[in-house]
Amino acid sequence: MTVSIRRARVEDKTAIANLIQLYLHDMTEFMPFPVDLDGRFEYGFLDRFWRHPYYIMSGEEIAGFALVIDECPLTGRKPCWFMAEFFVLRAYRGRGVGRTALALALNAHPGAWHIAVPHANVAAQTFWPRALGGRLVTSRDIAFDGDTWTLTAFQSP
C-alpha cells in the first residue's frame, strides 16, 4: 500500500466538504456539532482553511484529507504551519496511513509547526504523540474557544 498526499484543487472543494461531513460525524462522539436543516453538519471554516489542502491517498483510493494553513489560529503565531484539519477514514486507520501522510505534509512545509487537539478528543490525543514519533516537541495546555486543547510545537526540517 502506497500512501501519498495529493494537492487538492479548487474543483475538489466539494469532495473535501463531503469528507468533512464524515470527519465531523466521527467527532460528535466527544464534541457537539449542530446539524443544519438540510441534515448536514455546520462547518464554516473551509474557505478560511483552504490554503494548502490535500487528499490523503492510499494507492489510488482517497483515504482522508489534510488542511494545512500558514498561521496558528490558537496563538496567532506567524509564520507557523498549522494542521487545521486532519482526517483518515476509518477503513484506513491503524495501518500507518495517518502517520505516513503526516510525515509527507510536514516535509512539504518545513519550518515551525503547531498542532492542537481538544482534550476531549481521546483518539487524537493518542494518535498525535505517536505520529510525531521521535521529533523534539514541546506541549502545553491552552484554552481556546471554550475548550482546553493540547498545543504541540516543533520544527519540521
Side-chain angles (χ1 to χ4, degrees):
M1 166 182 58
T2 302
V3 176
S4 62
I5 58 172
R6 187 180 88 211
R7 181 76 184 225
R9 302 169 310 232
V10 172
E11 55 268 23
D12 296 321
K13 210 171 200 179
T14 300
I16 297 290
N18 290 338
L19 290 168
I20 286 172
Q21 291 297 302
L22 300 172
Y23 170 63
L24 295 177
H25 175 268
D26 281 4
M27 291 201 327
T28 60
E29 182 178 341
F30 54 86
M31 294 179 90
F33 287 95
V35 174
D36 284 330
L37 292 176
D38 66 359
R40 295 173 54 84
F41 291 103
E42 290 180 15
Y43 184 82
F45 300 104
L46 187 55
D47 289 335
R48 179 180 176 198
F49 292 160
W50 194 266
R51 297 186 197 169
H52 303 280
Y54 296 97
Y55 282 114
I56 297 170
M57 305 297 294
S58 177
E60 296 299 315
E61 301 282 325
I62 295 172
F65 69 91
L67 301 177
V68 177
I69 61 174
D70 53 2
E71 64 182 298
C72 179
L74 278 73
T75 65
R77 181 176 176 179
K78 291 180 189 179
C80 182
W81 297 111
F82 184 78
M83 188 63 73
E85 308 291 8
F86 187 87
F87 175 67
V88 174
L89 291 161
R90 288 182 183 201
Y92 297 94
R93 294 179 192 167
R95 299 180 181 186
V97 172
R99 224 179 323 224
T100 301
L102 173 64
L104 294 168
L106 296 180
N107 288 340
H109 301 281
W113 271 85
H114 283 173
I115 291 177
V117 179
H119 279 196
N121 189 340
V122 176
Q125 289 285 345
T126 302
F127 169 77
W128 287 106
R130 287 182 189 164
L132 291 169
R135 295 181 189 278
L136 180 60
V137 302
T138 59
S139 295
R140 64 183 170 102
D141 289 342
I142 185 169
F144 181 77
D145 203 24
D147 290 310
T148 304
W149 299 66
T150 301
L151 179 73
T152 301
F154 57 95
Q155 290 285 325
S156 179

